């Protein structure tokens, strides 16, 4: 009997090991196929197809094969792939690629038929769709196409073809070309400005060398232009482009020119446009002249971004009437923005209109975000967690485990094909309800993919699980090093949640690595400072090493800047910038954050401090976000200490 049981166990073990071996072999085949795809090695890719058959990622191997020859693919080949992989992310990607090929071929009849099932918006496909309608005489698409043309985004090839079609019928003219060039120069996209100016007559078109000089040394271009009378439109337009760049480099020098030699040379419309640029750049640098320069601009001339910075300049100066008026001048959508709802409430409160302020705070209170927490405290209450924590049932989890898209995503994570895994996951959960989202989040947690668990749980609207939203892997490590460095543990966790979502081997596009996203230079510098003599950059994604270096550096930044808000800004954008962004007088923490010039850093600091509140709440504490934000110390004359921080 014992022998029979032993043999039975051996048989079971043999089946399990065989299955594991097959899975491993399949993984190897998928990785080999991916490597071949990246190298453009079609022969090797075909060889791996058989070995990957039956693998959960078999469709990816077929997809890579199809993508390598999509330019010569036939409709039957594409449709065969689509029919084998219905309702999948890859089917949508293939359809989008196929539509782009049809657009290039101007096969509008087939294009229009294939377009309807596309799920995700694709900018290039959208441009081809407009080109198709335009080719059929439907000019109703032109307003949307012109609006896109004036966006700061770089346009893909399909949109360039649409632009050519618009130029052919006389819609995309010299005026639109110069307007797009301005938008691109505002966003420091010189090459895109040059592409836009291809629609200007050649005799009036600045060459690439001139545009480079405009971007790098606008003073030199302006000095040369001001020796002329600026009679030609092309010269005036070039002067405006140079002024856009000069405003970004030195708003005060730009203002001097606008008040002086350029005052009569440019039209009133162009002067107002440039004063809007100068005023916004001054507000971003916290110059006291910003409100006066805004006063020189007609209200209707200002862009949405310029209006926001007009409000921020008033906020920083505590000019509550000006803040209220600036928000009133914003378009309707701004009054639904939590930031401006909150600050409008604050302005009303400062002006003695308590009931109006309360109404604005009530619109935000209870929301689990930065402004919701602040508004809740303005009403005299404190943040709390939802009364009910929703946990996925066994049945919910079973459905998640059998979801083909989630299976593919988890397999991709296992093979460290993270970019494809993220796209697969996001596509799969896009239409899930709260119950499904939390089951998927729990599945990700169990699979040790914390970023997906956090991001997925973060999407719920009614049913919530804040333990999943605010996971804290490696908590014991963070606790130990936070205590060693005398750092607030909840703040450290909040920062790491924002930096890496607790992915130990995370690597950013800029090269930052590990849980605390250390740049190589910062890691080496910190290692030397703390006497880590055997440090090797290869070790920076090791959990203990990364947290040792990250918390040590964070402590140095905090000691240098003196406040967690400043240190959070400094950790993201550099200590020098965080120091410069202070005011000449003490400044409320929330106002300091709201007037951070970098969009990314402003959002980052808000989320780090909000995260800290929720980690504290999960530990049973009763934190105050307003107390955490506190007051930023004023700038001091001698700021030479600790300037060696990277």
């Amino acid at each position: 009997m014992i022998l029979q049981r032993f043999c039975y166990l051996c048989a079971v073990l043999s089946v399990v090991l065989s299955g594991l071996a097959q899975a491993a072999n399949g993984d190897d085949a998928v990785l080999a196929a991916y490597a071949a795809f990246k190298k453009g090695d079609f022969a090797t890719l075909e060889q791996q197809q058989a070995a990957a058959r039956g693998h959960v990622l078999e469709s990816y191997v077929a997809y890579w094969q199809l993508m390598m020859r999509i330019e010569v693919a036939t409709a039957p080949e594409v449709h065969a792939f689509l029919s084998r992989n219905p309702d999948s992310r890859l089917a949508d990607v293939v359809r989008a690629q196929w539509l782009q090929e049809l657009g290039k071929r101007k096969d509008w009849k087939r294009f229009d038929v294939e377009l309807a099932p596309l799920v995700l918006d694709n900018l290039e496909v959208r441009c081809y769709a407009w080109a198709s309608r335009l080719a059929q005489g439907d000019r109703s698409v032109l307003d949307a196409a012109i609006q896109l043309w004036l966006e700061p985004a770089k346009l893909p090839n399909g949109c360039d073809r649409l632009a050519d079609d618009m130029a052919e019928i006389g819609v995309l003219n010299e005026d639109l070309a110069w307007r797009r060039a301005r938008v691109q120069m505002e966003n420091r996209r010189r090459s895109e400005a040059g592409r836009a100016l291809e629609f200007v007559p050649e005799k009036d078109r600045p060459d690439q060398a001139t545009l480079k000089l405009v971007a790098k040394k606008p003073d030199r271009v302006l000095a040369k232009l001001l020796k002329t009378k600026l009679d030609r439109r092309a010269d005036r337009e070039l002067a405006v482009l140079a002024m856009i760049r000069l405003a970004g480099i030195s708003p005060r020098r730009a203002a001097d020119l606008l008040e002086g030699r350029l005052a009569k040379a440019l039209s009133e419309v162009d002067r107002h446009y440039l004063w809007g640029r100068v005023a916004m750049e001054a507000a971003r640098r916290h110059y006291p002249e910003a409100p006066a320069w805004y006063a020189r601009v007609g209200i209707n001339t200002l862009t949405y971004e310029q209006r926001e910075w007009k409000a921020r300049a008033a906020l920083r100066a505590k000019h509550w009437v000006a803040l209220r008026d600036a928000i009133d001048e914003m378009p309707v959508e701004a009054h639904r923005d939590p930031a401006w709802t909150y600050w409008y409430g604050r302005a009303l409160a400062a002006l003695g209109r308590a009931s109006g302020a309360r109404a604005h705070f009530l619109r935000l209170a209870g929301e689990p975000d930065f402004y919701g927490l602040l508004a809740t405290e303005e009403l005299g209450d404190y943040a709390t967690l939802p009364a009910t924590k929703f946990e996925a049932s066994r049945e919910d989890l079973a459905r998640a485990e059998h979801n083909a898209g989630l299976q593919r995503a988890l397999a991709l994570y296992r093979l460290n094909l993270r970019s494809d895994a993220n796209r697969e996951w996001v596509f799969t959960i896009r239409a899930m309800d709260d119950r499904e989202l939390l089951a998927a989040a729990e599945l990700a947690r169990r699979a040790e993919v914390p970023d997906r668990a956090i991001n997925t749980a973060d999407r719920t609207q009614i049913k919530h699980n804040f333990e999943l939203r605010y996971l804290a892997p490696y908590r014991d490590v963070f606790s130990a090093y936070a205590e060693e460095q005398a750092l607030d543990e909840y703040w450290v966790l909040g920062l790491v949640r924002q930096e890496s979502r607790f992915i130990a081997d995370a690597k950013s596009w800029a090269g930052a690595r590990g849980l605390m996203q250390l740049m190589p230079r910062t890691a080496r510098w910190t290692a030397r400072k703390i006497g880590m003599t055997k440090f090797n950059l290869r070790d920076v994604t090791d959990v203990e090493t990364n947290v040792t270096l990250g918390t040590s550096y964070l402590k140095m930044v905090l000691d240098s800047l003196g406040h967690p808000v400043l240190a959070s800004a400094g950790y993201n954008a550099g200590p020098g910038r965080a120091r410069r962004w202070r005011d000449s007088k003490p400044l409320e923490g929330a106002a300091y954050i709201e007037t951070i010039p970098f969009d990314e850093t402003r959002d980052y600091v808000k989320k780090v401090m909000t995260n800290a509140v929720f980690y504290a709440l999960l530990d049973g504490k009763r934190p105050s976000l307003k107390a955490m934000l506190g007051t930023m110390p004023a700038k001091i004359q001698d700021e030479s200490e600790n300037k060696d921080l990277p």
Side-chain angles (χ1 to χ4, degrees):
M1 182 67 71
I2 293 174
L3 183 60
Q4 286 178 330
R5 287 180 180 174
F6 178 74
C7 291
Y8 173 74
L9 289 173
C10 287
V12 170
L13 183 60
S14 175
V15 170
V16 170
L17 291 175
S18 176
L20 290 173
Q22 287 176 357
N25 290 338
D27 285 354
D28 290 343
V30 171
L31 288 173
Y34 179 71
F37 170 65
K38 297 299 284 185
K39 292 177 183 177
D41 183 353
F42 191 79
T44 301
L45 182 52
E46 277 196 309
Q47 289 170 9
Q48 297 301 326
Q49 185 179 26
R53 191 164 292 126
H55 193 279
V56 68
L57 297 177
E58 179 183 0
S59 59
Y60 271 78
V61 178
Y63 162 74
W64 295 326
Q65 287 179 296
L66 183 56
M67 284 301 98
M68 285 188 68
R69 54 187 313 281
I70 191 68
E71 292 182 359
V72 295
T74 63
E77 289 177 281
V78 172
H79 290 152
F81 182 91
L82 296 176
S83 64
R84 288 196 304 269
N85 301 279
D87 305 320
S88 68
R89 172 191 164 255
L90 289 185
D92 207 57
V93 174
V94 166
R95 190 180 301 279
Q97 290 291 329
W98 180 234
L99 283 163
Q100 289 172 37
E101 288 303 316
L102 294 175
K104 290 175 189 175
R105 302 172 192 178
K106 295 193 175 184
D107 186 349
W108 300 129
K109 185 175 180 180
R110 185 172 292 171
F111 178 95
D112 292 342
V113 172
E114 300 281 8
L115 178 63
L118 188 68
V119 175
L120 299 182
D121 180 49
N122 179 293
L123 180 56
E124 187 159 10
V125 171
R126 201 192 324 160
C127 284
Y128 279 127
W130 289 339
S132 172
R133 290 169 61 183
L134 201 57
Q136 298 170 61
D138 182 358
R139 297 173 68 95
S140 66
V141 302
L142 289 174
D143 286 344
I146 290 170
Q147 186 177 349
L148 176 63
W149 173 255
L150 296 176
E151 289 291 320
K154 180 179 179 179
L155 299 179
N157 292 335
C159 297
D160 285 345
R161 292 192 176 214
L162 173 65
D164 290 337
D165 292 345
M166 291 165 64
E168 195 172 310
I169 62 173
V171 173
L172 203 169
N173 53 24
E174 185 176 355
D175 290 341
L176 283 177
W178 284 113
R179 284 175 65 187
R180 178 166 172 79
R182 292 183 183 189
V183 171
Q184 299 308 314
M185 201 61 78
E186 288 170 7
N187 289 274
R188 302 182 183 183
R189 292 195 175 100
R190 173 174 57 86
S191 61
E192 284 299 300
R195 289 175 68 187
L197 293 178
E198 290 174 6
F199 293 94
V200 169
E202 190 172 357
K203 64 183 178 60
D204 295 327
R205 187 189 312 155
D207 59 27
Q208 287 301 316
T210 301
L211 282 178
K212 184 176 181 180
L213 207 59
V214 166
K216 302 283 186 181
K217 297 180 179 178
D219 300 78
R220 187 182 298 180
V221 174
L222 287 163
K224 183 178 179 180
L225 287 171
L226 287 170
K227 292 177 182 178
T228 72
K229 294 181 180 180
L230 293 180
D231 292 334
R232 297 172 63 244
R233 176 182 181 173
D235 290 340
R236 292 193 299 275
E237 292 285 1
L238 195 61
V240 170
L241 293 181
M243 282 292 289
I244 291 169
R245 287 299 300 125
L246 184 60
I249 296 167
S250 174
R252 287 181 174 130
R253 292 212 308 271
D256 287 343
L257 279 175
L258 269 180
E259 288 174 329
R261 299 167 70 188
L262 277 175
K264 293 182 180 179
L266 299 177
S267 69
E268 182 181 50
V269 171
D270 284 344
R271 289 199 305 273
H272 278 189
Y273 165 77
L274 288 172
W275 276 119
R277 294 298 309 169
V278 169
M280 185 186 76
E281 294 294 350
R284 282 165 47 87
R285 288 164 173 76
H286 309 138
Y287 287 177
E289 302 98 320
W293 290 342
Y294 267 115
R296 305 187 69 150
V297 185
I299 292 175
N300 294 329
T301 304
L302 295 176
T303 66
Y304 184 44
E305 184 184 19
Q306 289 167 353
R307 292 169 194 263
E308 286 192 305
W309 277 104
K310 183 178 182 181
R312 290 188 180 111
L315 166 62
R316 195 170 175 95
K318 282 192 174 181
H319 291 164
W320 298 109
V321 171
L323 174 60
R324 179 201 63 192
D325 292 347
I327 298 173
D328 275 336
E329 291 171 6
M330 292 183 186
V332 175
E333 59 264 27
H335 295 268
R336 294 191 290 268
D337 186 319
W340 302 122
T341 300
Y342 172 74
W343 287 113
Y344 199 86
R346 286 287 305 277
L348 293 179
L351 297 172
R353 294 178 54 188
S355 59
R358 181 177 174 81
H360 280 74
F361 297 142
L362 283 170
R363 288 166 56 186
L364 301 172
E367 291 298 317
D369 56 27
F370 184 75
Y371 297 105
L373 295 176
L374 288 177
T376 298
E377 292 189 35
E378 291 292 341
L379 293 169
D381 206 347
Y382 284 87
T384 58
L385 294 171
T388 303
K389 180 183 76 171
F390 181 87
E391 293 187 271
S393 67
R394 214 178 288 175
E395 292 76 14
D396 295 331
L397 282 170
R399 281 191 289 273
E401 288 169 352
H402 287 88
N403 183 294
L406 298 183
Q407 288 179 347
R408 286 191 294 269
L410 292 177
L412 289 162
Y413 284 119
R414 187 180 72 244
L415 299 182
N416 204 29
L417 301 177
R418 179 163 286 277
S419 294
D420 278 315
N422 286 346
R423 295 187 191 102
E424 185 76 53
W425 188 277
V426 170
F427 183 89
T428 302
I429 68 168
R430 72 191 185 285
M432 286 185 174
D433 61 25
D434 287 355
R435 180 183 292 273
E436 293 168 321
L437 287 169
L438 291 174
E442 175 61 18
L443 188 66
R445 184 194 69 79
R446 295 183 182 189
E448 298 183 349
V449 190
D451 61 327
R452 290 306 103 195
I454 291 169
N455 288 8
T456 305
D458 223 11
R459 292 168 60 98
T460 57
Q461 301 296 314
I462 299 172
K463 298 179 174 70
H464 304 299
N465 185 326
F466 274 67
E467 289 180 7
L468 284 172
R469 279 195 187 196
Y470 292 91
L471 281 180
Y474 316 108
R475 178 70 183 269
D476 55 339
V477 179
F478 287 111
S479 296
Y481 283 98
E483 182 178 1
E484 181 180 306
Q485 297 290 345
L487 297 171
D488 181 277
E489 180 184 352
Y490 305 122
W491 175 48
V492 173
L493 291 172
L495 184 141
V496 176
R497 182 183 188 269
Q498 200 56 32
E499 285 287 348
S500 68
R501 290 291 199 263
F502 298 96
I503 296 296
D505 60 352
K507 184 174 180 180
S508 76
W509 63 269
R513 303 180 189 180
L515 289 166
M516 298 191 71
Q517 287 291 276
L518 295 165
M519 293 295 289
R521 176 171 172 262
T522 303
R524 292 191 187 98
W525 181 89
T526 306
R528 286 197 303 271
K529 283 288 184 181
I530 66 175
M532 189 182 283
T533 56
K534 295 183 179 179
F535 172 70
N536 189 303
L537 193 58
R538 291 193 304 270
D539 301 328
V540 78
T541 54
D542 171 75
V543 171
E544 289 267 354
T545 302
N546 192 273
V547 177
T548 299
L549 294 171
T551 54
S552 297
Y553 177 67
L554 185 59
K555 173 65 171 175
M556 294 178 208
V557 175
L558 179 61
D559 288 347
S560 172
L561 298 177
H563 195 285
V565 167
L566 293 173
S568 299
Y571 197 90
N572 179 262
R577 289 192 180 102
R579 191 181 284 112
R580 288 196 299 274
W581 293 337
R582 293 177 299 175
D583 202 354
S584 57
K585 57 187 180 301
L587 184 66
E588 177 190 347
Y592 172 88
I593 295 170
E594 197 64 65
T595 56
I596 288 174
F598 297 172
D599 294 347
E600 178 192 322
T601 304
R602 190 185 323 121
D603 184 63
Y604 173 90
V605 178
K606 290 175 188 177
K607 287 178 177 173
V608 166
M609 303 310 293
T610 301
N611 293 345
V613 169
F614 282 106
Y615 279 116
L617 285 170
L618 284 166
D619 255 10
K621 304 293 191 296
R622 198 183 186 197
S624 163
L625 178 57
K626 290 192 74 173
M628 285 183 182
L629 301 183
T631 301
M632 300 304 100
K635 287 182 182 178
I636 55 176
Q637 293 299 315
D638 182 13
E639 293 187 310
S640 59
E641 70 277 9
N642 292 318
K643 280 204 172 179
D644 62 335
L645 283 168

